[in-house]
Amino acid sequence: MSGTHPSRRRFLKKGAAAAGLVAAPGALELTGGSSTAAAQAPVVDNNAIESVLYGRRSRFVTTTREIEGRSHSETARIRPNPQRPSARTPLAELTGAITPTSLHFTTQHYYGIPDINPAEHTLRVEGMVDRPLVFTMDELRRLPFVSRVHFLECVGNRPNPRGATVTATHGRMGCSEWTGVPLSVLLGEVGVRGGASWIIAEAADGGRHTKSVPLAKALDDVLVAYGQNGEPVRSDHGFPLRLLVPGFEGIYNVKWLKRIKVVDQPYLSFQEHSRFLTPDPKTQRDSYDFGPNSVITRPSGAQRLPAHGLYAISGLAWSGSGAVSRVEVSTDGGATYRGAELVGPALPKAHTRFCLPWRWNGEEAVLQSRCLDERGQLQPTEAEYAHYWGLTRGQLYGTIQSQLGHCNWIQPWKVGSDGEVTNGLAPTDVVVDVHA
Ligand SMILES: Nc1nc2c(c(=O)[nH]1)N[C@H]1C(S)=C(S)[C@@H](COP(=O)(O)O)O[C@H]1N2
Ligand SMILES: [Mo]
């Protein structure tokens, strides 16, 4: 059409040329073969404004979380919505003690991740108190706060003979620096009445995730957290507000927190009830702090030692009771142990990285670690754990994790003479694995 403006014609021409470049299959063939990863990788401009405004990792770093399979009960009443992306931390790929927020495991039990506007979000603190209060996010940020490094672990983590990788056996945990208001400060503002002994924390998600926490714990080290690793808590971790209950099972750490009620007894909330499929759900009520635990992340399952020589045996140790005081590593399946170096500070109820130099001579080896915490508790072997609780191996692996309690026994990794690393636990017929 003659009326078309020249600049518009130029624009269309340019656009067509650009589209041609993108679409032309011959363009890539000129480079001598289109099948290399570099040729196929999306072009990422490290100098693009978006990359500078919010940093990106190199395109050569591609580690992601691992999506959980369909591990929940199929019972509609308990798990009403299949659209709940949950994922594990890729432990073998990480260094240091802090889990990058983007790779920190996540669990959504009910209606998925809510989209909460912080300007409209409030936290109500009420119940057996002198002055019930409603805090806006701005009001919470005005208050004295702390930052603490703590691990967060789902009770679904369990050493598992069928777990091919450390992500499969232990990937339902992460460790962040959490920032927020100590719950004791909020409880001080509202004034807890005599006779109160528990709090109930309730979420804003459709499923109303609700947990009872002993008042003594609430006054001790529980946080109402709005910060994670220096940023606002991410949506999948509870934006804009979550409860952080250091050392307790993940399920206590109520995300999208909207209400705290001070009460005089624990509630059998829907969340609490749905976990316990035994006739008497109260039997597990008293399981709180995770025990001493550790796992080797490198070398670990599905990795391969390419040659004889010097290796760092490295992993994570943690305890729900306090700081890690010592980690020991065995290369002979537990016959002998040596003390590992603790890399970085051993903070209470936080992941602590350990490292031990080891020269592999090409012979079969069984690598395993054990943690001693500041309370003097030592991580048990599978046999010691089973003996202590009077369980058979079949029960250890055939029982839903949340009914067993805290599965903190030692996870061995076997190094073959070919360098292949596999699970060092003896095989079992049945493994029940529920992402609790
Ligand atoms: N509101 C709400 N809070 C929740 C859950 C949930 O489904 N809804 N899952 C709990 C469980 S079982 C775990 S293990 C942790 C996981 O926290 P994360 O997703 O930040 O890793 O959140 C807990 N808090
Ligand atoms: Mo969990």
Side-chain angles (χ1 to χ4, degrees), residues 327-370:
V327 179
E328 294 178 334
V329 169
S330 173
T331 56
D332 53 16
T336 59
Y337 278 95
R338 273 184 293 161
E341 186 195 334
L342 301 186
V343 182
L347 299 169
K349 307 175 189 181
H351 277 171
T352 303
R353 174 71 58 181
F354 63 86
C355 183
L356 181 83
W358 173 56
R359 199 165 284 282
W360 183 50
N361 59 11
E363 285 170 17
E364 282 189 2
V366 177
L367 313 181
Q368 61 192 55
S369 60
R370 66 182 183 193

Side-chain angles (χ1 to χ4, degrees), residues 114-190:
D115 185 36
I116 297 176
N117 179 350
E120 289 161 12
H121 189 77
T122 58
L123 175 66
R124 179 181 292 273
V125 187
E126 59 192 358
M128 297 175 67
V129 301
D130 296 331
R131 298 167 297 278
L133 289 172
V134 177
F135 298 90
T136 64
M137 288 304 297
D138 282 343
E139 285 164 349
L140 285 173
R141 280 173 176 278
R142 216 181 66 192
L143 297 174
F145 64 93
V146 295
S147 289
R148 303 233 177 88
V149 175
H150 288 305
F151 76 83
L152 186 62
E153 182 179 18
C154 178
V155 77
N157 253 357
R158 171 174 58 185
N160 169 353
R162 298 257 175 95
T165 66
V166 67
T167 298
T169 58
H170 290 79
R172 291 159 180 159
M173 65 172 181
C175 182
S176 291
E177 184 205 63
W178 299 97
T179 297
V181 185
L183 184 50
S184 58
V185 170
L186 298 182
L187 293 176
E189 289 299 287
V190 296

Side-chain angles (χ1 to χ4, degrees), residues 236-283:
D236 48 355
H237 300 299
F239 182 83
L241 204 60
R242 87 173 302 164
L243 201 66
L244 210 275
V245 187
F248 275 34
E249 296 166 9
I251 208 160
Y252 286 88
N253 297 259
V254 176
K255 305 193 278 192
W256 316 298
L257 180 68
K258 74 161 189 199
R259 185 163 85 116
I260 286 171
K261 191 172 174 193
V262 179
V263 292
D264 60 0
Q265 59 176 322
Y267 280 27
L268 196 55
S269 73
F270 178 71
Q271 177 54 269
E272 275 149 324
H273 183 72
S274 69
R275 284 186 58 209
F276 305 120
L277 309 176
T278 51
D280 180 9
K282 293 188 181 182
T283 52

